[in-house]
Amino acid sequence: RAVRSGLSADDAIEALTRGAAQALGVAEKIGSIEPGLDADLLIWDGHPFEAGSDLQRVFIHGEEVPR
């Protein structure tokens, strides 16, 4: 919704990840991909907000999850 209203896609990703973790006071544990932080990871073949982008791989707690 925010992207449709003019927020850049990259800023929307930032708001949903690092920004949300900072707002909740947990950025020292989650919110970005850095050594020592907990992260689940989704790998797309394009930008996640682009029509036609497909989810390629999912990692939860460091383990790849079959799709």
Side-chain angles (χ1 to χ4, degrees):
R1 186 178 301 172
V3 172
R4 284 192 304 249
S5 296
L7 187 66
S8 77
D10 289 338
D11 286 343
I13 293 285
E14 173 85 15
L16 292 168
T17 56
R18 185 174 303 152
Q22 288 172 341
L24 294 171
V26 294
E28 71 283 350
K29 295 180 182 180
I30 63 171
S32 59
I33 301 170
E34 297 178 36
L37 297 185
D38 294 334
D40 297 334
L41 184 64
L42 306 176
I43 300 176
W44 300 79
D45 65 358
H47 198 286
F49 295 150
E50 288 181 8
S53 290
D54 289 318
L55 182 61
Q56 299 295 305
R57 299 172 76 182
V58 176
F59 293 86
I60 298 177
H61 300 294
E63 302 289 328
E64 187 166 6
V65 177
R67 296 181 336 121

